[in-house]
Amino acid sequence: EPAEALYLGDHGRDIEAGRAVGMPTVSCDWGYIGPDEDVASWGADYRLATPADIPTLIKNILQIN
């Protein structure tokens, strides 16, 4: 189910797409982000600084120790 997945994106349109299908969204501070992009303005449910943060996010969402 869409609500059981995460949509990670490096552009505002990715966050919009994830929301459109009912997925929790994650903005990523890496990838194809232009210097003038305001990642915080995308309004994602979560935000990650590096790919290395993905496992911690998943553990936190699932509340795994």
Side-chain angles (χ1 to χ4, degrees):
E1 292 297 315
E4 297 173 347
L6 289 174
Y7 196 115
L8 281 73
D10 62 358
H11 195 279
R13 69 178 167 258
D14 296 325
I15 304 309
E16 292 172 10
R19 284 218 171 101
V21 296
M23 293 177 145
T25 57
V26 183
S27 61
C28 301
D29 289 352
W30 68 91
Y32 297 102
I33 299 174
D36 297 331
E37 292 283 341
D38 180 12
V39 177
S41 72
W42 302 345
D45 299 305
Y46 306 96
R47 183 173 176 183
L48 298 178
T50 71
D53 296 327
I54 295 170
T56 300
L57 173 65
I58 293 169
K59 286 179 185 180
N60 290 339
I61 290 171
L62 297 177
Q63 298 179 2
I64 298 172
N65 292 328

